[in-house]
Short mmCIF file of all heavy atoms in Angstrom, two decimals:
data_model
loop_
_atom_site.label_atom_id
_atom_site.label_comp_id
_atom_site.label_asym_id
_atom_site.label_seq_id
_atom_site.Cartn_x
_atom_site.Cartn_y
_atom_site.Cartn_z
N TYR A 1 60.40 109.55 95.85
CA TYR A 1 59.35 110.00 94.95
C TYR A 1 59.75 109.72 93.52
O TYR A 1 60.58 110.41 92.93
CB TYR A 1 59.14 111.51 95.16
CG TYR A 1 57.85 112.08 94.57
CD1 TYR A 1 56.80 112.43 95.37
CD2 TYR A 1 57.75 112.29 93.21
CE1 TYR A 1 55.62 112.98 94.83
CE2 TYR A 1 56.57 112.82 92.67
CZ TYR A 1 55.51 113.17 93.49
OH TYR A 1 54.36 113.70 92.97
N GLY A 2 59.25 108.64 92.94
CA GLY A 2 59.63 108.19 91.62
C GLY A 2 58.78 108.76 90.54
O GLY A 2 57.58 108.55 90.48
N ARG A 3 59.44 109.48 89.58
CA ARG A 3 58.72 110.13 88.48
C ARG A 3 59.12 109.46 87.18
O ARG A 3 60.29 109.42 86.81
CB ARG A 3 59.06 111.62 88.46
CG ARG A 3 59.07 112.29 89.81
CD ARG A 3 58.92 113.78 89.75
NE ARG A 3 57.55 114.15 89.51
CZ ARG A 3 57.10 115.42 89.63
NH1 ARG A 3 57.91 116.40 89.95
NH2 ARG A 3 55.82 115.69 89.38
N MET A 4 58.12 108.97 86.44
CA MET A 4 58.36 108.27 85.18
C MET A 4 57.78 109.11 84.03
O MET A 4 56.58 109.34 83.96
CB MET A 4 57.64 106.91 85.21
CG MET A 4 57.81 106.05 83.99
SD MET A 4 59.39 105.20 84.00
CE MET A 4 60.31 106.25 82.88
N THR A 5 58.67 109.57 83.15
CA THR A 5 58.23 110.32 81.98
C THR A 5 59.02 109.87 80.76
O THR A 5 60.00 109.12 80.87
CB THR A 5 58.49 111.84 82.17
OG1 THR A 5 59.89 112.07 82.39
CG2 THR A 5 57.68 112.38 83.36
N ALA A 6 58.63 110.35 79.60
CA ALA A 6 59.37 110.08 78.38
C ALA A 6 60.66 110.85 78.33
O ALA A 6 61.75 110.29 78.09
CB ALA A 6 58.54 110.41 77.17
N TRP A 7 60.61 112.17 78.61
CA TRP A 7 61.75 113.05 78.34
C TRP A 7 62.46 113.56 79.60
O TRP A 7 63.54 114.14 79.50
CB TRP A 7 61.29 114.28 77.53
CG TRP A 7 60.58 113.95 76.27
CD1 TRP A 7 59.28 114.18 75.95
CD2 TRP A 7 61.15 113.30 75.10
NE1 TRP A 7 58.99 113.74 74.68
CE2 TRP A 7 60.13 113.20 74.11
CE3 TRP A 7 62.43 112.79 74.79
CZ2 TRP A 7 60.33 112.60 72.88
CZ3 TRP A 7 62.61 112.20 73.55
CH2 TRP A 7 61.58 112.11 72.60
N GLY A 8 61.86 113.33 80.77
CA GLY A 8 62.48 113.85 82.00
C GLY A 8 61.74 115.08 82.52
O GLY A 8 60.81 115.59 81.88
N GLN A 9 62.16 115.56 83.65
CA GLN A 9 61.49 116.69 84.32
C GLN A 9 61.95 118.03 83.79
O GLN A 9 61.34 119.05 84.13
CB GLN A 9 61.73 116.59 85.82
CG GLN A 9 61.12 115.35 86.49
CD GLN A 9 59.63 115.30 86.33
OE1 GLN A 9 58.92 116.25 86.62
NE2 GLN A 9 59.12 114.14 85.88
N ASP A 10 63.02 118.09 83.02
CA ASP A 10 63.48 119.35 82.46
C ASP A 10 63.95 119.16 81.01
O ASP A 10 63.98 118.03 80.52
CB ASP A 10 64.58 119.98 83.33
CG ASP A 10 65.73 119.03 83.58
OD1 ASP A 10 66.09 118.26 82.68
OD2 ASP A 10 66.26 119.03 84.72
N GLY A 11 64.35 120.26 80.37
CA GLY A 11 64.72 120.18 78.99
C GLY A 11 63.59 120.65 78.09
O GLY A 11 62.42 120.64 78.51
N PRO A 12 63.88 121.03 76.86
CA PRO A 12 62.84 121.59 75.99
C PRO A 12 61.70 120.64 75.67
O PRO A 12 60.60 121.06 75.37
CB PRO A 12 63.63 121.97 74.70
CG PRO A 12 64.88 121.22 74.79
CD PRO A 12 65.21 121.06 76.22
N LEU A 13 61.95 119.33 75.72
CA LEU A 13 60.87 118.35 75.37
C LEU A 13 60.09 117.89 76.61
O LEU A 13 59.15 117.14 76.48
CB LEU A 13 61.49 117.13 74.66
CG LEU A 13 61.99 117.37 73.24
CD1 LEU A 13 62.59 116.09 72.70
CD2 LEU A 13 60.88 117.87 72.34
N ALA A 14 60.53 118.30 77.79
CA ALA A 14 59.89 117.80 79.05
C ALA A 14 58.36 117.87 79.02
O ALA A 14 57.70 116.95 79.46
CB ALA A 14 60.47 118.51 80.24
N PRO A 15 57.76 118.98 78.57
CA PRO A 15 56.30 119.03 78.64
C PRO A 15 55.58 118.33 77.49
O PRO A 15 54.35 118.28 77.49
CB PRO A 15 56.01 120.53 78.58
CG PRO A 15 57.15 121.11 77.84
CD PRO A 15 58.33 120.26 78.17
N ARG A 16 56.29 117.79 76.56
CA ARG A 16 55.72 117.24 75.33
C ARG A 16 55.30 115.76 75.54
O ARG A 16 56.00 115.00 76.22
CB ARG A 16 56.67 117.31 74.16
CG ARG A 16 57.13 118.75 73.78
CD ARG A 16 56.09 119.50 72.95
NE ARG A 16 54.94 119.93 73.70
CZ ARG A 16 54.89 121.06 74.41
NH1 ARG A 16 55.94 121.84 74.48
NH2 ARG A 16 53.80 121.38 75.02
N ALA A 17 54.23 115.37 74.88
CA ALA A 17 53.77 113.99 74.89
C ALA A 17 54.70 113.16 74.00
O ALA A 17 55.34 113.71 73.06
CB ALA A 17 52.35 113.87 74.36
N ALA A 18 54.85 111.88 74.29
CA ALA A 18 55.68 110.98 73.48
C ALA A 18 55.32 109.55 73.81
O ALA A 18 54.84 109.24 74.92
CB ALA A 18 57.16 111.25 73.71
N HIS A 19 55.64 108.67 72.89
CA HIS A 19 55.56 107.23 73.10
C HIS A 19 56.92 106.59 72.81
O HIS A 19 57.86 107.28 72.39
CB HIS A 19 54.46 106.61 72.27
CG HIS A 19 53.06 106.94 72.76
ND1 HIS A 19 52.59 106.50 73.97
CD2 HIS A 19 52.05 107.67 72.20
CE1 HIS A 19 51.37 106.94 74.16
NE2 HIS A 19 51.04 107.66 73.09
N ASP A 20 56.98 105.29 73.04
CA ASP A 20 58.22 104.56 72.86
C ASP A 20 58.96 104.91 71.58
O ASP A 20 60.14 105.19 71.55
CB ASP A 20 57.87 103.06 72.89
CG ASP A 20 59.08 102.15 72.92
OD1 ASP A 20 59.75 102.03 71.85
OD2 ASP A 20 59.32 101.49 73.94
N ILE A 21 58.21 104.94 70.44
CA ILE A 21 58.82 105.12 69.17
C ILE A 21 59.49 106.51 69.06
O ILE A 21 60.50 106.71 68.40
CB ILE A 21 57.80 104.94 68.00
CG1 ILE A 21 58.50 104.83 66.67
CG2 ILE A 21 56.72 105.99 68.04
CD1 ILE A 21 57.58 104.40 65.52
N ASN A 22 58.88 107.52 69.70
CA ASN A 22 59.44 108.88 69.65
C ASN A 22 60.76 108.98 70.38
O ASN A 22 61.71 109.62 69.94
CB ASN A 22 58.43 109.87 70.24
CG ASN A 22 57.06 109.77 69.58
OD1 ASN A 22 56.14 109.36 70.23
ND2 ASN A 22 56.96 110.13 68.32
N VAL A 23 60.80 108.31 71.57
CA VAL A 23 62.03 108.28 72.35
C VAL A 23 63.16 107.54 71.61
O VAL A 23 64.28 108.00 71.52
CB VAL A 23 61.79 107.65 73.75
CG1 VAL A 23 63.08 107.53 74.51
CG2 VAL A 23 60.79 108.47 74.53
N LEU A 24 62.78 106.40 70.99
CA LEU A 24 63.75 105.65 70.22
C LEU A 24 64.30 106.48 69.08
O LEU A 24 65.48 106.40 68.72
CB LEU A 24 63.13 104.36 69.67
CG LEU A 24 62.67 103.31 70.66
CD1 LEU A 24 62.22 102.04 69.94
CD2 LEU A 24 63.81 102.94 71.62
N ALA A 25 63.45 107.31 68.48
CA ALA A 25 63.87 108.12 67.35
C ALA A 25 64.95 109.10 67.74
O ALA A 25 65.94 109.28 67.04
CB ALA A 25 62.67 108.86 66.77
N LEU A 26 64.81 109.76 68.90
CA LEU A 26 65.74 110.82 69.31
C LEU A 26 66.97 110.28 70.03
O LEU A 26 67.93 111.03 70.25
CB LEU A 26 65.04 111.85 70.16
CG LEU A 26 64.03 112.75 69.44
CD1 LEU A 26 63.75 113.97 70.30
CD2 LEU A 26 64.52 113.19 68.06
N THR A 27 66.97 109.03 70.39
CA THR A 27 68.17 108.44 71.03
C THR A 27 69.09 107.74 70.03
O THR A 27 70.16 107.25 70.39
CB THR A 27 67.79 107.43 72.11
OG1 THR A 27 66.96 106.44 71.53
CG2 THR A 27 67.06 108.09 73.26
N GLY A 28 68.66 107.65 68.76
CA GLY A 28 69.43 106.95 67.76
C GLY A 28 69.15 105.49 67.72
O GLY A 28 69.62 104.80 66.78
N ALA A 29 68.38 104.95 68.64
CA ALA A 29 68.11 103.51 68.66
C ALA A 29 67.28 103.09 67.48
O ALA A 29 67.58 102.09 66.82
CB ALA A 29 67.43 103.13 70.01
N LEU A 30 66.21 103.83 67.19
CA LEU A 30 65.33 103.48 66.07
C LEU A 30 66.07 103.53 64.75
O LEU A 30 65.93 102.69 63.89
CB LEU A 30 64.12 104.37 66.06
CG LEU A 30 63.02 103.97 65.04
CD1 LEU A 30 62.43 102.62 65.41
CD2 LEU A 30 61.95 105.07 64.97
N GLY A 31 66.93 104.55 64.62
CA GLY A 31 67.66 104.74 63.37
C GLY A 31 68.74 103.71 63.11
O GLY A 31 69.32 103.66 62.02
N ALA A 32 68.98 102.83 64.10
CA ALA A 32 69.96 101.76 63.95
C ALA A 32 69.34 100.41 63.69
O ALA A 32 70.04 99.40 63.57
CB ALA A 32 70.85 101.69 65.18
N ILE A 33 68.01 100.36 63.59
CA ILE A 33 67.27 99.08 63.53
C ILE A 33 66.63 98.90 62.16
O ILE A 33 66.04 99.82 61.61
CB ILE A 33 66.21 99.00 64.62
CG1 ILE A 33 66.83 99.04 65.98
CG2 ILE A 33 65.34 97.77 64.47
CD1 ILE A 33 65.86 99.14 67.14
#
């Protein structure tokens, strides 16, 4: 059963909407570009 989300099935951000740019922002990837 494959589940695809931005933040995962748990954690404080799990229920929140997000797009590529938001994920890049919190992983440090966007801040390095």
Side-chain angles (χ1 to χ4, degrees):
Y1 194 107
R3 317 200 78 169
M4 182 79 260
T5 60
W7 305 114
Q9 297 298 311
D10 53 38
L13 291 178
R16 301 280 73 84
H19 287 294
D20 188 288
I21 193 171
N22 307 111
V23 175
L24 295 185
L26 290 197
T27 55
L30 188 64
I33 296 172

